[in-house]
């Protein structure tokens, strides 16, 4: 089923947001749903690379996980690559970068085609969808333990 997933996330690590234009340091931290069933962690490897991990827990078992990278390319653009469990990796180019937001897209990918992260203070909204969004499903996320 193809759907839009919006996740409101809160950090469990105290990492200062970098307001430098084009920097994605503000994404670093640990983010989770209120019931801790979905968690996402981003760490800064260096100024050109963020490493991420996402896991969904159902019935006290891992239902889904993926490794992720956000890497700055030679042309100074950012590329998000997801390595989902049991599936081929998918890469998404950064289309829009704001002070505390970024949109990645890949219209050739089946699902998702668009990934948006937007930070507002200690909250993060992550939206995963087809291009332009479709049939929204919203998940609220808060701080990890």
């Amino acid at each position: 089923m193809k759907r839009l997933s919006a996740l409101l996330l809160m950090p469990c690590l105290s990492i200062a947001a970098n307001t430098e234009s084009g920097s994605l340091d503000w994404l670093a931290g640990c983010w989770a749903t209120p019931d801790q069933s979905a968690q996402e962690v981003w760490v800064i490897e260096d100024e050109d690379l963020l490493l991420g991990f996402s896991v969904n827990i159902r019935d006290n078992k891992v239902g889904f996980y993926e490794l992720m990278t956000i890497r700055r390319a030679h042309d100074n653009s950012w590329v998000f690559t997801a390595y989902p469990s049991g599936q081929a990796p998918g890469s998404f180019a950064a289309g829009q970068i704001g002070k505390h937001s970024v949109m990645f897209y890949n219209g050739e990918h089946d699902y998702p085609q668009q990934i948006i992260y937007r930070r507002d203070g200690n909250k993060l909204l992550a939206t995963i969808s087809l291009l332009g969004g479709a049939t929204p499903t919203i998940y609220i996320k808060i701080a990890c333990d």
Side-chain angles (χ1 to χ4, degrees), residues 22-38:
S23 172
L24 300 178
D25 293 358
W26 52 266
L27 187 56
C30 177
W31 314 92
T33 56
D35 63 2
Q36 302 289 308
S37 65

Side-chain angles (χ1 to χ4, degrees), residues 105-118:
Y105 68 94
N106 177 348
E108 301 296 315
H109 197 263
D110 60 345
Y111 186 87
Q113 295 176 332
Q114 182 173 285
I115 301 162
I116 300 171
Y117 288 108
R118 186 175 42 128

Side-chain angles (χ1 to χ4, degrees), residues 35-50:
D35 63 2
Q36 302 289 308
S37 65
Q39 299 182 11
E40 186 167 311
V41 177
W42 285 100
V43 295
I44 302 165
E45 176 65 19
D46 62 39
E47 65 184 23
D48 296 328
L49 177 64
L50 285 83

Side-chain angles (χ1 to χ4, degrees), residues 34-95:
D35 63 2
Q36 302 289 308
S37 65
Q39 299 182 11
E40 186 167 311
V41 177
W42 285 100
V43 295
I44 302 165
E45 176 65 19
D46 62 39
E47 65 184 23
D48 296 328
L49 177 64
L50 285 83
L51 302 173
F53 179 81
S54 176
V55 64
N56 289 350
I57 308 292
R58 287 184 220 122
D59 300 323
N60 292 320
K61 295 180 182 176
V62 173
F64 173 81
Y65 69 89
E66 67 183 338
L67 301 175
M68 302 169 291
T69 62
I70 300 176
R71 182 181 306 276
R72 191 187 316 253
H74 295 296
D75 64 359
N76 212 32
S77 66
W78 290 97
V79 177
F80 174 100
T81 302
Y83 302 86
S85 57
Q87 300 175 39
S91 292
F92 303 81

